Amino acid sequence: MLKIYNTLSGKKEIFKPIEEGKVGMYVCGNTVYDYCHIGHARAMISFDVISRFIRHLGYELNYVRNITDVDDKIIKRAEENNESTQALTERMIAAQREDELRLGNKMPDREPKATEFMQEIIDMIQVLIDKGFAYHGASRDVYYRTEAFKEYGKLNNRKLEDMLAGARIDVETAKEHPADFVLWKQAKEGEVSWQSPWGAGRPGWHIECSAMSTNCLGSHFDIHGGGPDLKFPHHENEIAQSEAATGKDYVNYWVHCGAVRVNNEKMSKSLGNFFTVRDVLAKYNPEVVRYLMVSSQYRSAIDYSDQSLNEAKVALERLYTALRGQAASAEYVPTEFTERFETAMKDDFNTAVAVSVLFELVRELNKAKTDNVAQAKLLAAELLALADLLGLLKQDPEYFLQNSTVSEGLDEAGIQALIDERTQARKDKNFARSDEIRDELADQGIELLDSREGTSWTRR
């Protein structure tokens, strides 16, 4: 049975879908005003793996991940760039999809944009006003009345007054309570806006997800996911809005992935340790980044550094080396490795243990290569099938081993030319030149592997 850690209850629970055989999952996506950073990559990869495994278990999954394409940050960045908000968001959405595909993610079933659900957002706000959960403030903005929702704070297991204790809060005179949050903002002159019963404006961030999720998956669905920074206030506010508007429980299982830290510090532009996915992929093969993300269980914090990426590269090279020159059977026959892999994944998607099973499988594969060719083919097929559930081992082994990092030195043609020269030097018994070429390549991180079939190479 699949067990999922539920943030709402604070414990692992046996997963029981609302509708047998079907799963609805909503994940909070990005606010598209800039390129994706490695924290975004962690969330995107985590929920890609979760979606793969849920489908592997036979469920019919409807995976929805939103795009926030109207927001204060978007408006500010568009003004700085002297471009329209639409031009900015379309450019960033295209960049995000490019990054994701390079990282090996499969796209969600649906990616609703906030701007496509403006009427649904307005309708939900009106319902909240009619029910007494929202009010039109003196500033002409519309606010959510947190004190009216008696269970406010249940996701974070904190009472409303405790959340405010010791905090510095600007009490706007337009608000009835310091914790009240905006549902509809009045637009400033020149800003992008939509007409509403409360004047021209745009929605608050929290209400966007409530409207999109309930319209795409229904008032009550199975799984809601996101990054660790979204638990409060975003997801707490989503619960308050959605349950007040529909009168139903909103979500059964709340799932949050762990944070990414950089050299044991919080990632921050002000600290100079902020890395976009594109920064990283300029130096490392995308699958190295993906391996780093899945080598820890999704709820664990990850420490990003050159050292951790290099360790991920070396580990992934071990898996690819086992497949180098190894044919895989067309038939996948599950063994005890599959059973143990699935057991790990059923325990709250524990990819760390699942990855360790892959290495045990590789040890058996390496043994079988020398004395049981048929068994080696079956084990190679099993390794590829299990790794696919993590989005790993999707490249040709020879290509990966030669391109696990991005080198500014010799390209493949240059490396091959030197290997050919070395092969001729060995035929001519010019061993001094042969050794010289090997050392020259080693200085550039190229390791040569001689065998009866010839010379192959790996970039180190």
Side-chain angles (χ1 to χ4, degrees):
M1 293 182 292
L2 174 63
K3 292 183 179 179
I4 299 177
Y5 182 88
N6 189 351
T7 306
L8 186 62
S9 65
K11 61 184 180 182
K12 291 180 188 178
E13 299 176 4
I14 294 173
F15 178 67
K16 296 178 181 178
I18 296 168
E19 184 178 352
E20 187 174 354
K22 295 184 177 182
V23 178
M25 181 170 77
Y26 182 91
V27 174
C28 285
N30 297 334
T31 301
V32 286
Y33 71 99
D34 206 343
Y35 293 111
C36 295
H37 56 66
I38 55 172
H40 295 141
R42 177 76 195 283
M44 292 188 294
I45 291 172
S46 294
F47 288 101
D48 176 64
V49 170
I50 287 172
S51 68
R52 286 171 188 248
F53 192 69
I54 287 174
R55 288 193 171 104
H56 173 71
L57 293 178
Y59 291 106
E60 181 183 329
L61 173 66
N62 187 3
Y63 174 18
V64 179
R65 188 187 64 199
N66 79 293
I67 293 172
T68 297
D69 62 342
V70 55
D71 176 86
D72 289 345
K73 292 178 180 178
I74 292 172
I75 293 171
K76 183 174 184 291
R77 181 61 56 84
E79 289 176 350
E80 292 171 351
N81 294 350
N82 195 26
E83 64 181 326
S84 68
T85 56
Q86 183 178 356
L88 172 64
T89 57
E90 287 180 354
R91 187 160 56 84
M92 290 299 106
I93 290 169
Q96 174 182 304
R97 286 176 177 159
E98 181 184 334
D99 289 345
E100 270 204 274
L101 290 172
R102 292 184 68 190
L103 289 169
N105 277 0
K106 296 179 179 180
M107 291 298 101
D109 298 296
R110 189 172 179 184
E111 286 187 289
K113 299 176 185 176
T115 55
E116 298 170 339
F117 282 76
M118 207 53 63
Q119 188 57 52
E120 290 82 357
I121 291 169
I122 291 170
D123 291 345
M124 181 173 271
I125 294 172
Q126 188 62 61
V127 168
L128 291 171
I129 291 174
D130 293 343
K131 288 188 170 185
F133 287 97
Y135 59 95
H136 202 185
S139 65
R140 296 174 56 228
D141 294 338
V142 178
Y143 293 96
Y144 185 89
R145 185 177 280 122
T146 51
E147 288 186 302
F149 187 70
K150 301 307 179 186
E151 292 185 285
Y152 190 82
K154 65 180 179 179
L155 179 66
N156 291 270
N157 195 28
R158 297 164 67 190
K159 295 180 180 178
L160 181 59
E161 54 270 25
D162 295 337
M163 294 181 188
L164 299 176
R168 289 185 61 189
I169 296 174
D170 260 341
V171 181
E172 298 178 28
T173 55
K175 289 183 180 183
E176 294 178 355
H177 189 279
D180 292 352
F181 55 89
V182 71
L183 300 174
W184 188 261
K185 286 186 174 186
Q186 293 299 311
K188 297 176 184 176
E189 186 176 352
E191 288 184 344
V192 61
S193 64
W194 289 261
Q195 288 300 321
S196 79
W198 321 287
R202 63 183 186 276
W205 175 37
H206 312 302
I207 194 67
E208 293 175 356
C209 280
S210 286
M212 284 186 282
S213 62
T214 54
N215 275 275
C216 291
L217 294 173
S219 301
H220 181 207
F221 56 92
D222 298 293
I223 300 172
H224 193 314
D229 56 323
L230 299 182
K231 286 187 285 187
F232 183 83
H234 185 53
H235 288 163
E236 196 71 66
N237 292 349
E238 270 194 70
I239 291 173
Q241 296 164 154
S242 303
E243 296 191 357
T246 67
K248 299 177 182 178
D249 288 339
Y250 180 36
V251 173
N252 283 357
Y253 302 86
W254 284 88
V255 178
H256 295 92
C257 63
V260 175
R261 299 179 67 80
V262 179
N263 294 318
N264 291 313
E265 289 185 313
K266 182 179 180 180
M267 186 173 66
S268 167
K269 286 184 178 180
S270 62
L271 294 175
N273 63 358
F274 181 89
F275 299 97
T276 68
V277 170
R278 294 178 173 219
D279 292 333
V280 182
L281 298 190
K283 295 174 61 178
Y284 290 91
N285 185 297
E287 215 170 283
V288 170
V289 179
R290 187 178 184 94
Y291 180 90
L292 174 64
M293 299 299 177
V294 304
S295 60
S296 298
Q297 201 262 1
Y298 77 93
R299 286 191 292 115
S300 303
I302 285 180
D303 186 47
Y304 170 90
S305 64
D306 284 341
Q307 179 181 343
S308 62
L309 276 171
N310 286 325
E311 289 171 354
K313 179 177 75 75
V314 170
L316 193 52
E317 284 173 346
R318 285 179 56 197
L319 298 180
Y320 269 110
T321 299
L323 292 170
R324 191 178 213 169
Q326 173 61 54
S329 172
E331 181 185 11
Y332 162 42
V333 180
T335 70
E336 61 164 321
F337 295 111
T338 294
E339 182 180 351
R340 289 166 53 206
F341 182 98
E342 290 180 342
T343 297
M345 291 296 288
K346 287 177 182 177
D347 184 15
D348 194 28
F349 312 105
N350 196 332
T351 54
V353 175
V355 166
S356 71
V357 173
L358 297 185
F359 283 100
E360 292 178 29
L361 199 164
V362 160
R363 283 196 287 272
E364 290 301 309
L365 170 57
N366 288 333
K367 291 178 187 176
K369 282 181 179 180
T370 58
D371 53 19
N372 193 333
V373 175
Q375 179 68 4
K377 288 182 178 180
L378 288 170
L379 290 172
E382 186 172 16
L383 175 61
L384 289 168
L386 297 181
D388 181 63
L389 293 174
L390 304 178
L392 298 176
L393 303 185
K394 306 300 291 181
Q395 301 176 38
D396 174 76
E398 200 67 38
Y399 174 84
F400 175 83
L401 291 167
Q402 294 173 3
N403 295 277
S404 55
T405 55
V406 179
S407 174
E408 296 180 357
L410 287 170
D411 59 14
E412 291 185 38
I415 294 168
Q416 192 58 52
L418 284 172
I419 290 174
D420 292 343
E421 182 185 346
R422 177 174 175 268
T423 300
Q424 187 59 50
R426 295 174 73 188
K427 288 180 180 178
D428 297 340
K429 300 191 183 303
N430 186 353
F431 298 115
R433 178 55 182 155
S434 171
D435 290 344
E436 188 178 86
I437 292 172
R438 176 185 282 277
D439 292 343
E440 180 182 341
L441 289 171
D443 288 343
Q444 297 198 45
I446 308 301
E447 179 181 337
L448 301 183
L449 305 169
D450 295 318
S451 68
R452 285 176 293 182
E453 289 76 28
T455 301
S456 58
W457 58 275
T458 298
R459 200 184 294 276
R460 295 295 186 189

